[in-house]
Amino acid sequence: QVQLVESGGGLVQAGGSLRLSCVASGTSRVIDVMGWYRQAPGKQRETVARMTDGGVTYYESEKERFAISRDNAKKTVYLQMNNLKPEDSAVYFCYAQVKPRLVGTGTAEEYWGQGIQVTVCS
């Protein structure tokens, strides 16, 4: 069972920057995918960015302002957010996926952090 703990959120003024961190623990398995999602009040949860263990990245939006990175030795994923806007305000969730050792022989496990608040003020 994987536990994900986010940190680095808080209150920031528009145009500022934040770096979110998420540390995974509880498994010796390779974490194949780690990423970030966000959900604003009254809105659906949306994908921000994901990164594979091999460093392949997927950006759904905001790729000009946000950057995802990983430190596999520390089992940590980061989200650098620059030029923040009020519409970026949301609860940000860390995500992890662990695939079966043999492809096609099992179901991938998915895990979520508790979420961390990011509030951007004008």
Side-chain angles (χ1 to χ4, degrees):
Q1 191 75 21
V2 176
Q3 293 81 47
L4 303 173
V5 180
E6 304 103 331
S7 63
L11 180 66
V12 65
Q13 64 183 5
S17 299
L18 285 174
R19 188 174 75 158
L20 304 183
S21 300
C22 174
V23 180
S25 62
T27 183
S28 61
R29 298 279 306 279
V30 172
I31 301 176
D32 300 280
V33 177
M34 297 189 76
W36 293 94
Y37 293 70
R38 67 184 181 184
Q39 186 169 20
K43 304 292 184 179
Q44 294 185 337
R45 186 175 297 185
E46 64 176 353
T47 304
V48 179
R50 296 155 60 97
M51 179 176 281
T52 70
D53 180 64
V56 179
T57 60
Y58 306 88
Y59 290 93
E60 296 295 329
S61 62
E62 312 299 340
K63 65 179 181 180
E64 293 182 354
R65 298 188 295 118
F66 294 179
I68 189 170
S69 60
R70 288 179 64 166
D71 186 332
N72 292 337
K74 297 180 179 179
K75 294 185 180 296
T76 301
V77 63
Y78 305 94
L79 183 68
Q80 179 67 46
M81 302 185 291
N82 298 319
N83 192 26
L84 284 162
K85 303 175 181 179
E87 52 263 41
D88 295 318
S89 297
V91 176
Y92 284 70
F93 295 90
C94 183
Y95 167 87
Q97 181 187 76
V98 180
K99 295 179 179 179
R101 288 187 174 89
L102 299 177
V103 176
T105 62
T107 303
E109 299 286 343
E110 296 182 318
Y111 304 94
W112 294 92
Q114 291 296 314
I116 189 166
Q117 180 70 47
V118 171
T119 302
V120 184
C121 299
S122 300

